[in-house]
Amino acid sequence: KQEVTQIPAALSVPEGENLVLNCSFTDSAIYNLQWFRQDPGKGLTSLLLIQSSQREQTSGRLNASLDKSSGRSTLYIAASQPGDSATYLCAVRDADKLIFGTGTRLQVFP
Amino acid sequence: DGGITQSPKYLFRKEGQNVTLSCEQNLNHDAMYWYRQDPGQGLRLIYYSQIVNDFQKGDIAEGYSVSREKKESFPLTVTSAQKNPTAFYLCASSMQGHTNQPQHFGDGTRLSIL
């Protein structure tokens, strides 16, 4: 059974720092991996989707990498801002559904 | 604008009562999903539907029921058999058969017990 783990569970950094969020999964037979952002009391916003055949995806200050063979993905946030404060969730897709990690709660303070 | 609309935003359930959460999408997506989120936890799949008039149980379907009579709509009923219904419920949709397309989410319904 696929299990997805995210480390750390919470992270607090000063504005301007570059940071890395980690996601690991136990079964490498995935179709893709997706990173989401969730603000308090809100739904999920898709940030990046990496296909199983891809190594990384970039969008603005965000870069996500995927190493399927080792069951790992990282989300790199460059030059963090207070507006980046949110919970970040990763999810892997099997044939027809997503399996989610428990998230990393990020706080960026001025 | 295209998107997913969930209603109501907040819902209260009395003991022994069934309640229905609404989810509507105008993205022309075939697949729709219901998730439950508890504090400090990831999302857990309740039910999903890949096509009209068909749906499958997810990991935590007990105490819930769904219908998919229209492509745009996928309502979730929380029955009295669900003994711990207090949670944040999220609906999502995606293109069926397109694994390179992301899932899109609504803004959720928060359900509490009176």
Side-chain angles (χ1 to χ4, degrees):
Chain A
K1 181 184 174 184
Q2 178 75 268
E3 292 183 3
V4 181
T5 304
Q6 291 187 246
I7 295 173
L11 185 61
S12 183
V13 300
E15 182 176 7
E17 272 204 10
N18 302 324
L19 54 99
V20 174
L21 307 182
N22 296 293
C23 173
S24 62
F25 48 96
T26 55
D27 186 348
S28 62
I30 64 170
Y31 282 81
N32 61 49
L33 184 143
Q34 201 168 348
W35 281 95
F36 294 90
R37 168 186 173 136
Q38 186 177 30
D39 293 292
K42 297 289 189 181
L44 277 62
T45 300
S46 180
L47 297 173
L48 290 164
L49 184 148
I50 312 176
Q51 294 300 325
S52 62
S53 58
Q54 296 176 321
R55 297 286 290 181
E56 66 179 331
Q57 281 287 331
T58 297
S59 175
R61 294 183 294 108
L62 305 179
N63 176 277
S65 68
L66 175 64
D67 184 343
K68 206 171 70 159
S69 61
S70 67
R72 293 183 182 181
S73 175
T74 61
L75 178 67
Y76 175 82
I77 303 177
S80 58
Q81 303 170 357
D84 294 330
S85 298
T87 296
Y88 291 80
L89 294 155
C90 72
V92 298
R93 174 150 185 181
D94 65 10
D96 49 18
K97 60 184 185 291
L98 290 176
I99 299 102
F100 283 82
T102 53
T104 293
R105 191 171 67 253
L106 172 66
Q107 183 181 10
V108 181
F109 54 91
Chain B
D1 276 2
I4 300 174
T5 301
Q6 289 189 243
S7 62
K9 189 173 177 65
Y10 299 97
L11 186 59
F12 298 91
R13 195 191 87 169
K14 294 180 182 178
E15 208 63 46
Q17 185 182 40
N18 294 350
V19 292
T20 298
L21 286 60
S22 171
C23 178
E24 304 277 333
Q25 55 98 359
N26 61 4
L27 299 167
N28 200 33
H29 285 169
D30 297 299
M32 297 186 74
Y33 309 82
W34 274 106
Y35 295 91
R36 169 181 171 139
Q37 187 176 33
D38 293 282
Q41 298 192 28
L43 278 67
R44 292 184 290 167
L45 183 64
I46 305 172
Y47 269 99
Y48 63 103
S49 168
Q50 296 174 319
I51 196 169
V52 174
N53 292 323
D54 188 39
F55 48 82
Q56 289 79 39
K57 292 182 179 180
D59 299 318
I60 54 166
E62 186 174 351
Y64 301 96
S65 66
V66 294
S67 63
R68 186 85 187 277
E69 298 176 1
K70 298 188 301 182
K71 187 176 184 178
E72 303 79 18
S73 178
F74 191 40
L76 172 74
T77 296
V78 184
T79 74
S80 57
Q82 173 49 248
K83 298 306 180 187
N84 183 24
T86 297
F88 190 48
Y89 291 86
L90 287 160
C91 177
S93 70
S94 67
M95 293 289 288
Q96 176 56 20
H98 293 262
T99 58
N100 61 340
Q101 296 298 316
Q103 284 193 10
H104 298 261
F105 283 78
D107 279 341
T109 292
R110 189 166 300 280
L111 176 62
S112 302
I113 294 291
L114 276 179

